């Protein structure tokens, strides 16, 4: 259908609903073609983009027989499909003999989806049979089969080998649209079967998205882009030769809008410029439609240049719907837009002048006047009832706004803006109020402060009293939020001043502080530079070189001095053996502010050190530098000998020598060890032994010829890989002694209490030529049960030449067997005779009860009931009374044989009393603690409670009676 309109008539095959076109009973001859929709309303008409209607179909093959195809074995063959008439994309396949046996494609057989033909590169006997072409319409999904084509072998011989012959070739130039998938086919006949390879003549490799199928007959490039265009080459090759075909893919893209015109509303006589741009390849051409019709530029005021539409001196007839069409041979695109041309009398309803405009004296003001009117007319101004005259200070701008410069008090008043055009006149008025200017009275200055101080930065103003003022502070052009910043910043000075205080100022607070003052009519600002002086920053680039056994050369670069010159540096050192960082000794000893290097001395050889430097100025000492790299001083002969050389003891025929190991930091190098030298007292020659472990602290010389307890001269030296160092001083050490050969005699034991026994004995001689006595070992044994296997023993040792010992922690009423033996460093001697002793019965388990007290201002009389011991307990021999003032820590003790006691005590303090029974078995259970309060009257009596359930204050209130004598 070409250039014809479709009228919506009843009973027609065409119906229109909601702008949609419905066609029933499609006819491929009548209905196929290009359609466009025309939409109209009161604002104009637009034409839709084109829609192509293609009616897909697939006719049947002609029912005629096909002649057999006769070939030699080894020859290539092409079986033609010859698809019937159709519309829509087709796919092809071939049946071999009978359905569903389809020809499988491989390097020898290929079905072209371009021609539909079946290609066999080299015929084999198994290929003989009937071949049927199957055609499928991908749109209608209909399928038809052609007549079978017989393939037979000739009997006149076998085809010899020959070079490849390419039967399927892609076009010399193939145009491909952006974003499409393109498939190139290439297949050759030949004997042997040729191999197919693809490449680009320029040698550029294929991108990863390119797919070559297993048979290499198809090259597929999905989502085609500009960079995929170019030359391609297919090469077929076998042992007889090779053949090549070339082709080129060109890129094209239908138009795509990149800049669209927007709807506009213009006044009469104004100008219009619409830009319309599209990307496409090849470049698009442009044309414009107005209300669905081509826009002809019969008038000079309408111009179309490279897609841009310009119309000058707009009229009401220019109103309408416009469309920009960008097109090339591959497609076109539409951009729709609307133009409204209006004619309006002046109207201030949506843009009245401000009722009141504030301005400061000496400043400038702009009073805007923007009425709605079309076309643009004339604007004039009145002040009060008089026409406003323009001057060097007063001017009316092109847009109608009024500007007044260098305002004075006389400029205050009512101003009226009057707008006129050929359709009418309108006005709007507002008052100009002139205020006193806001002036910052503080002077710009520079503040010099020290870290940790507090400083106030002033911002004082003079202003019109009727205006509110707002102060805003900036630090290095960043707004100060007074609720944050760690609480360093605080506003001070009240509402009429903008001063701020910086508390405990830090180095990071140095910079420019700006106070911005703002009212409704003006603004002002002032800047203050704050210099913060602080301890210097850490020195930089610490380097260590020229390392010897005891020295190293340290150099550094100065860090920022924070506005106070550095007058001294200090070097600190740290090693694995030091407690943190320590001051280093240097040459020169004092390092001034200009000294950036020094030699560190008195280091230990063969020790790993780190170095750091601190700088000091008049404010203080800064943070230390980063530690240097670790360095190790050079090794040298050891010079420190072991301390506390001693020894003695050990087993028979041994000389035990001990010492305190030399610390690692004093070993002066690797391979450190000890040289032990010894000789009998009075001997002339030294015997020596090497101890290779630097941690060793003991050497034992064993020889059966060493007499017991013989004196030896001993000295211990040191060595390392550099050689031997010095020996320490000579000391005398005795060889191992013999264990005691005799047992203590006259062993006696007596019971002291229910839990203590005293043992005494006659001591052995303290020292002889072969042995010494270091003390005595006391073994106590008790039979817990009748069975002999239930003996329980314990051992205690005495030290020195004692002749008695007290054994504690024993069971009451129990029999113990005790024996002694002497001991020394060589061991223990023989056992003494065994003695036995029985501990006393246990002390009374009952505590004193019914304790009563009678107190005056100088005496305290106590009475209690006698404690009666149980049958298995020791009889009570007396009592211990313990008393103390409540503020004292240790009690006083008084013993008595009766059940009462009179104490001469000033009763002006609180007292705490406890009473214990005493027997030969020891002390019994204590009475409950009795608290006697301070007596404020002449006489008081009371008694202790038998129960502890009530607190002391309640107890006193229940059991204390006070009598007053007049």
């Amino acid at each position: 259908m070409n250039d014809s309109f479709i009228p919506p008539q009843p009973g027609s095959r065409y119906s229109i609903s909601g702008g949609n076109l419905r066609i029933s009973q499609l006819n491929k001859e009548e209905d196929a073609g290009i359609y466009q929709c025309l939409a109209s309303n009161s604002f104009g008409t637009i034409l839709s983009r084109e829609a192509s209607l293609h009616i897909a179909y697939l006719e049947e093959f002609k029912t005629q027989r096909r002649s057999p195809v006769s070939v030699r074995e080894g020859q290539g063959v092409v079986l033609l499909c010859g698809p019937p008439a159709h519309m829509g994309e087709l796919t092809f396949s071939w049946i071999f003999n009978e359905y569903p046996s389809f020809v499988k494609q491989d390097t020898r057989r290929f079905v072209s989806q371009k021609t539909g033909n079946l290609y066999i590169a080299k015929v084999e006997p198994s290929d003989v049979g009937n071949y049927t072409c199957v055609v499928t319409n991908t749109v209608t999904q209909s399928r038809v089969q052609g007549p079978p084509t017989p393939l037979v072998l000739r009997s006149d011989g076998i085809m010899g080998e020959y070079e490849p012959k390419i039967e399927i070739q892609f076009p010399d130039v193939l145009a491909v649209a952006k974003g499409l998938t393109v498939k190139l086919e290439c297949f050759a006949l030949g004997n042997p079967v040729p191999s197919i390879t693809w490449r680009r003549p320029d040698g550029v490799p294929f991108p990863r998205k390119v797919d070559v199928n297993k048979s290499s007959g198809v090259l597929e490039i999905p989502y085609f882009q500009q960079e995929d265009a170019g030359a391609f080459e297919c090469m077929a090759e076998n042992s007889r030769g090779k053949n090549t075909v070339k082709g080129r893919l060109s890129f094209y893209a239908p138009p795509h809008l990149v800049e669209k015109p927007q709807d506009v509303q213009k006044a009469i006589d104004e100008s219009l410029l619409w830009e319309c741009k599209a990307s496409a390849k090849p470049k698009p051409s442009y044309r414009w439609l107005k209300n669905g019709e081509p826009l002809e530029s019969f008038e000079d005021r309408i111009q179309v240049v490279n897609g841009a539409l310009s119309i000058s001196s707009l009229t009401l007839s220019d109103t309408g719907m416009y469309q920009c069409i960008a097109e090339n041979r591959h497609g076109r695109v539409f951009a729709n837009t609307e133009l409204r041309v209006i004619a309006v009398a002046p109207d201030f309803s949506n843009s009245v002048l401000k009722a009141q405009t504030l301005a400061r004296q000496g400043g400038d003001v702009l009073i805007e006047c923007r009425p709605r009117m079309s076309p643009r007319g004339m604007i004039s101004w009145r002040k009060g009832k008089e026409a406003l005259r323009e001057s060097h200070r007063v001017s009316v701008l092109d847009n109608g706004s009024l500007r007044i410069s260098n305002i004075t008090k006389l400029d205050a008043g009512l101003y009226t803006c009057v707008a006129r055009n050929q359709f009418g006149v309108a006005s709007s008025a507002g008052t100009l109020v002139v205020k006193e200017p806001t002036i910052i009275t503080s002077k710009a200055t520079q503040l010099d402060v020290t870290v940790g101080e507090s400083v106030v930065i002033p911002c004082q103003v003079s202003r019109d009293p009727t205006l509110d003022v707002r102060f805003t502070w900036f630090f290095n052009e960043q707004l100060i939020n007074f609720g944050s910043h760690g609480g360093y910043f605080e506003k001070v000075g009240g509402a009429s001043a903008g001063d701020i205080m910086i508390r405990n100022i830090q180095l990071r607070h140095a910079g420019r502080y700006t106070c911005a003052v703002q009212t409704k009519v003006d603004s002002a600002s002032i800047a203050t530079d704050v210099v913060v002086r602080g301890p210097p920053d850490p020195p930089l680039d610490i380097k260590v070189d020229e390392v010897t056994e005891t020295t190293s050369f340290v150099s550094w670069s100065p860090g920022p001095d924070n506005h106070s010159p550095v007058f001294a540096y200090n070097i600190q050192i740290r090693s694995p053996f030091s407690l943190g960082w320590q001051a280093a000794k240097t040459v020169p000893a004092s390092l001034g502010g200009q000294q950036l290097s020094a030699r560190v001395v008195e280091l230990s050889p063969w020790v790993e050190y780190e170095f750091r430097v601190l700088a000091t100025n008049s404010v203080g000492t800064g943070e230390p530098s980063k530690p240097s790299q670790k360095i190790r001083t050079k090794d040298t002969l050891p010079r420190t000998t072991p301390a506390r050389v001693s020894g003695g003891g050990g087993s028979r025929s041994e000389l035990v020598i001990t010492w305190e190991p030399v610390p690692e930091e004093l070993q002066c190098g690797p391979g450190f060890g000890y040289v032990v030298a010894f000789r009998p007292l009075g001997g002339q020659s030294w015997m020596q032994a090497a101890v290779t472990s630097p941690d060793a602290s003991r050497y034992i010389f064993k020889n059966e010829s060493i007499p017991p307890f013989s004196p030896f001269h001993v000295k211990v030296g040191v060595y390392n890989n550099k050689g031997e160092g010095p020996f320490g001083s000579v000391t005398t050490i005795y060889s191992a002694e013999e264990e005691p050969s005799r047992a203590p005699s006259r062993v006696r034991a007596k019971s002291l209490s229910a839990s203590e026994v005293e043992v005494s004995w006659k001591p052995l001689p303290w020292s002889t030529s072969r042995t010494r006595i270091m003390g005595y070992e006391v073994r106590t044994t008790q039979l817990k049960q009748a069975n002999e296997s239930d003996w329980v023993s314990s051992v205690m040792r005495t030290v020195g030449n004692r002749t008695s010992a007290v054994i504690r922690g024993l069971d009451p009423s129990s029999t113990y067997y005790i024996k002694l033996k002497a001991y020394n460093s060589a061991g223990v001697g023989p056992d003494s005779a065994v003695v036995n002793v029985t501990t006393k019965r246990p002390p009374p388990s009952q505590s004193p009860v019914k304790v009563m007290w009678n107190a005056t201002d100088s005496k305290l009389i106590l009475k209690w009931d006698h404690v009666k011991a149980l049958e298995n307990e020791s009889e009570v021999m007396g009592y211990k009374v313990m008393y103390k003032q409540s503020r004292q820590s240790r009690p006083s003790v008084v013993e008595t044989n009766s059940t009462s006691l009179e104490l001469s005590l000033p009763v002006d303090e609180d007292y705490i009393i406890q009473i214990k029974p005493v027997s030969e078995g020891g002390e019994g259970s204590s009475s409950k603690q009795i608290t006697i309060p301070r007596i404020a009257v002449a006489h008081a009596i009371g008694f202790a409670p038998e129960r502890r359930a009530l607190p002391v204050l309640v107890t006193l209130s229940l059991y204390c009676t006070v009598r007053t004598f007049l």
Side-chain angles (χ1 to χ4, degrees):
M1 300 180 64
N2 297 320
D3 299 329
S4 60
F5 285 94
I6 300 175
Q9 298 176 354
S12 171
R13 292 190 302 114
Y14 307 103
S15 61
I16 300 175
S17 176
N20 299 323
L21 173 64
R22 181 183 180 87
I23 306 175
S24 59
Q25 302 174 4
L26 282 173
N27 185 292
K28 63 182 181 181
E29 284 79 17
E30 295 182 7
D31 297 327
I34 297 175
Y35 291 77
Q36 282 183 285
C37 173
L38 204 63
S40 302
N41 64 8
S42 59
F43 297 104
T45 301
I46 60 173
L47 193 64
S48 74
R49 65 181 181 179
E50 296 173 342
S52 297
L53 175 59
H54 301 280
I55 302 176
Y57 65 93
L58 176 62
E59 295 183 357
E60 293 288 342
F61 277 91
K62 294 179 180 179
T63 57
Q64 65 180 22
R65 294 177 59 84
R66 294 194 176 181
S67 301
V69 177
S70 178
V71 294
R72 292 190 180 95
E73 181 183 345
Q75 183 179 353
V77 68
V78 180
L79 302 183
L80 304 180
C81 179
H86 63 278
M87 175 60 70
E89 185 176 352
L90 301 181
T91 61
F92 302 92
S93 57
W94 284 77
I95 297 175
F96 179 50
N97 289 330
E98 294 183 356
Y99 178 85
S101 177
F102 285 90
V103 174
K104 294 183 179 179
Q105 298 187 78
D106 51 27
T107 57
R108 194 172 63 83
R109 292 170 294 185
F110 182 76
V111 177
S112 171
Q113 298 302 315
K114 303 297 183 184
T115 65
N117 299 334
L118 170 62
Y119 300 83
I120 303 177
K122 170 189 172 187
V123 175
E124 297 178 354
S126 60
D127 295 327
V128 172
N130 292 322
Y131 290 84
T132 304
C133 180
V134 180
V135 183
T136 302
N137 191 309
T138 60
V139 180
T140 65
Q141 293 300 311
S142 57
R143 178 182 297 178
V144 296
Q145 295 183 11
T149 301
L151 177 65
V152 297
L153 288 180
R154 292 170 56 175
S155 60
D156 56 352
I158 298 175
M159 185 72 176
E161 294 184 351
Y162 62 96
E163 66 180 12
K165 177 183 179 184
I166 297 178
E167 288 290 339
I168 304 177
Q169 300 184 10
F170 47 90
D172 291 340
V173 178
L174 178 62
V176 183
K178 176 182 179 182
L180 294 184
T181 296
V182 61
K183 294 182 180 180
L184 302 180
E185 293 184 345
C186 180
F187 194 79
L189 309 181
N191 186 6
V193 175
S195 63
I196 305 296
T197 56
W198 294 86
R199 72 182 191 92
R200 283 182 132 167
D202 57 9
V204 177
F206 292 128
R208 295 179 60 181
K209 68 176 181 176
V210 173
D211 178 46
V212 180
N213 69 9
K214 294 181 179 179
S215 64
S216 301
V218 178
L219 178 73
E220 181 177 330
I221 306 175
Y223 196 64
F224 194 80
Q225 299 295 311
Q226 176 76 54
E227 60 270 19
D228 297 325
F232 290 81
E233 183 177 279
C234 170
M235 183 174 67
E237 185 175 11
N238 64 12
S239 59
R240 305 299 297 178
K242 62 182 176 181
N243 205 346
T244 303
V245 294
K246 297 181 180 180
R248 177 174 296 276
L249 296 180
S250 63
F251 175 84
Y252 76 86
H256 172 73
L257 286 171
V258 295
E259 187 172 342
K260 301 178 183 179
Q262 302 298 318
D263 295 347
V264 294
Q265 181 174 287
K266 293 284 188 177
I268 287 178
D269 294 334
E270 288 187 342
S271 296
L272 168 72
L273 176 62
W274 266 326
E275 292 284 352
C276 180
K277 291 183 180 180
S279 63
K281 186 173 183 181
K283 289 184 179 181
S285 61
Y286 299 90
R287 55 193 176 94
W288 284 80
L289 304 180
K290 178 186 177 186
N291 292 327
E293 299 293 335
L295 182 63
E296 303 293 344
S297 56
F298 296 123
E299 305 176 54
D300 291 340
R301 67 187 188 90
I302 301 176
Q303 298 291 329
V304 176
V305 180
N306 292 330
L309 170 62
S310 62
I311 306 177
S312 59
S313 302
L314 289 171
T315 66
L316 292 175
S317 62
D318 293 322
T319 297
M321 299 297 299
Y322 289 78
Q323 290 178 283
C324 170
I325 303 175
E327 57 190 337
N328 63 12
R329 64 176 179 269
H330 303 293
R332 60 173 63 104
V333 66
F334 290 72
N336 306 328
T337 187
E338 179 187 0
L339 171 63
R340 291 189 184 183
V341 181
I342 58 174
V344 180
D347 179 15
F348 282 96
S349 58
N350 293 324
S351 57
V352 296
L353 267 65
K354 291 175 61 174
Q356 187 180 76
T357 300
L358 300 179
R360 69 175 179 87
Q361 185 175 348
D364 299 340
V365 69
L366 179 68
I367 305 176
E368 293 186 339
C369 179
R370 294 184 176 181
R372 180 173 179 266
M373 58 178 176
S374 180
R376 182 71 182 174
M378 183 181 68
I379 292 179
S380 60
W381 285 83
R382 294 197 306 267
K383 180 183 179 187
K385 296 182 179 180
E386 300 293 331
L388 184 65
R389 295 183 178 179
E390 295 189 62
S391 66
H392 67 283
R393 289 192 314 108
V394 181
S395 59
V396 178
L397 305 182
D398 293 340
N399 63 3
S401 298
L402 176 63
R403 176 182 293 278
I404 306 176
S405 304
N406 194 17
I407 295 173
T408 67
K409 289 286 188 179
L410 297 177
D411 293 322
L414 181 67
Y415 288 81
T416 303
C417 176
V418 181
R420 294 181 176 83
N421 68 5
Q422 63 263 42
F423 299 104
V425 61
S427 65
S428 180
T431 302
L432 174 64
V433 179
V434 180
K435 298 288 187 178
E436 293 291 336
T438 302
I439 301 173
I440 297 178
T441 57
S442 305
K443 301 296 184 182
T445 185
Q446 177 173 303
L447 298 178
D448 195 316
V449 295
T450 302
V451 165
E453 294 181 347
S454 295
V455 62
V456 174
I457 306 177
C459 186
Q460 303 287 329
V461 299
S462 67
R463 59 186 175 88
D464 192 302
T466 63
L467 294 176
D468 293 330
V469 63
R470 177 185 176 191
F471 296 92
T472 306
W473 280 89
F474 297 87
F475 172 46
N476 291 337
E477 300 182 359
Q478 298 295 318
L479 178 67
I480 295 177
N481 183 352
F482 286 90
S484 59
H485 299 286
Y488 288 99
F489 299 106
E490 179 183 344
K491 288 184 177 180
V492 295
S496 61
D499 302 352
I500 65 167
M501 173 181 284
I502 309 175
R503 299 183 182 276
N504 187 23
I505 197 166
Q506 302 298 308
L507 290 172
R508 63 179 179 273
H509 297 142
R512 169 158 290 194
Y513 290 81
T514 303
C515 174
V517 182
Q518 189 173 14
T519 66
K520 287 185 177 180
V521 300
D522 60 356
S523 62
S525 65
I526 186 174
T528 300
D529 291 321
V530 176
V531 176
V532 181
R533 303 186 187 276
D537 281 1
L540 307 171
D541 303 326
I542 310 301
K543 295 180 181 178
V544 183
D545 50 19
E546 299 182 22
V547 179
T548 69
E549 295 88 347
T550 58
T551 66
S552 64
F553 189 77
V554 180
S555 60
W556 60 90
S557 299
D561 63 8
N562 294 323
H563 308 291
S564 180
V566 173
F567 63 75
Y569 288 102
N570 291 285
I571 300 177
Q572 292 181 338
I573 58 175
R574 179 173 67 179
S575 74
F577 316 108
S578 64
L579 296 175
W581 291 92
Q582 298 177 345
K585 293 185 178 180
T586 61
V587 176
S590 178
L591 306 179
Q594 303 302 316
Q595 187 91 22
L596 298 179
S597 62
R599 187 169 299 279
V600 178
V601 298
E602 296 188 19
L603 300 176
S604 296
W606 196 247
V607 172
E608 198 171 56
Y609 285 98
E610 292 177 281
F611 300 80
R612 71 180 187 184
V613 183
L614 297 87
T616 303
N617 61 14
S618 60
V619 180
T621 299
E623 292 292 321
S625 68
K626 291 182 179 179
S628 69
Q629 289 187 340
K630 294 180 180 179
I631 62 98
R632 183 182 288 275
T633 50
K634 294 182 178 179
D635 56 342
T636 186
L637 288 174
R639 53 196 179 194
T640 301
T641 58
R644 299 181 184 176
V645 177
S646 62
S651 301
R652 185 189 297 269
S653 303
E654 288 183 348
L655 175 64
V656 179
I657 304 170
T658 61
W659 61 86
E660 187 175 290
V662 174
E664 185 179 348
E665 64 268 28
L666 300 178
Q667 294 174 4
C668 297
F672 181 83
Y674 302 94
V675 179
V676 182
F678 51 94
R679 67 185 179 186
L681 190 66
Q684 296 301 315
S685 61
W686 293 90
M687 291 181 285
Q688 291 189 355
V691 180
T692 58
S693 172
D695 299 322
S697 61
R698 181 184 183 91
Y699 173 73
I700 299 176
F701 173 68
K702 187 173 182 66
N703 192 306
E704 297 296 334
S705 64
I706 299 178
F709 206 54
S710 300
F712 280 79
H713 277 165
V714 176
K715 60 182 179 179
V716 182
V718 290
Y719 72 93
N720 62 17
N721 289 348
K722 282 286 188 178
E724 291 190 13
F727 278 95
S729 59
V730 177
T731 186
T732 301
I733 298 174
Y734 285 81
S735 64
E737 58 192 342
E738 290 183 342
E739 65 272 11
S741 59
R742 296 170 54 193
S745 60
R746 297 183 187 177
V747 179
R748 303 285 186 270
K750 68 175 180 177
S751 176
L752 299 180
S753 68
S755 61
E756 297 178 332
V757 168
E758 183 181 43
V759 182
S760 62
W761 60 90
K762 180 180 180 182
L764 298 175
W766 178 248
S767 178
T768 67
S769 63
R770 299 170 66 90
T771 185
R772 291 176 303 169
I773 302 299
M774 298 176 63
Y776 297 90
E777 188 177 275
V778 183
R779 179 176 292 272
T780 304
T781 305
Q782 177 190 14
L783 180 62
K784 285 286 188 180
Q785 303 290 338
N787 192 334
E788 290 186 1
S789 62
D790 293 325
W791 289 95
V792 177
S793 297
S794 62
V795 177
M796 66 173 289
R797 277 191 168 190
T798 67
V799 178
N801 199 20
R802 293 176 55 185
T803 62
S804 66
V806 176
I807 305 172
R808 294 181 171 85
L810 305 178
D811 295 334
S813 303
S814 299
T815 300
Y816 290 89
Y817 298 89
I818 301 172
K819 58 183 178 180
L820 282 77
K821 49 182 140 186
Y823 73 89
N824 61 14
S825 62
V828 295
D831 290 334
S832 70
V834 178
V835 298
N836 64 71
V837 64
T838 300
T839 54
K840 298 184 183 297
R841 288 181 294 172
S845 58
Q846 303 297 316
S847 59
V849 295
K850 296 184 180 179
V851 180
M852 300 183 63
W853 54 269
N854 190 343
T856 67
D857 57 359
S858 61
K859 281 190 211 177
L860 177 62
I861 301 172
L862 298 170
K863 291 184 179 181
W864 57 91
D865 284 356
H866 176 66
V867 176
K868 186 175 181 181
L870 300 180
E871 184 177 350
N872 63 337
E873 296 176 344
S874 301
E875 292 294 331
V876 176
M877 299 167 55
Y879 298 90
K880 280 187 179 180
V881 179
M882 295 164 287
Y883 64 92
K884 68 173 182 176
Q885 292 181 356
S886 59
R887 291 181 295 178
Q888 293 177 337
S889 59
R890 300 187 63 182
S892 300
V893 179
V894 178
E895 295 189 12
T896 179
N897 294 328
S898 67
T899 58
S900 63
L901 181 66
E902 181 178 311
L903 298 172
S904 296
L905 298 174
V907 193
D908 57 353
E909 295 286 344
D910 293 347
Y911 283 90
I912 296 174
I913 306 290
Q914 279 184 296
I915 304 172
K916 289 183 180 180
V918 179
S919 70
E920 67 175 5
E923 295 179 357
S925 299
S926 172
S927 67
K928 293 180 175 62
Q929 193 178 82
I930 306 163
T931 301
I932 300 176
R934 176 180 178 180
I935 304 302
V937 293
H939 183 223
I941 63 174
F943 60 92
E946 298 301 326
R947 298 170 60 190
R948 290 189 180 180
L950 298 175
V952 172
L953 291 178
V954 176
T955 302
L956 290 174
S957 66
L958 292 175
Y959 298 105
C960 180
T961 303
V962 179
R963 297 178 182 175
T964 303
F965 298 91
L966 299 177

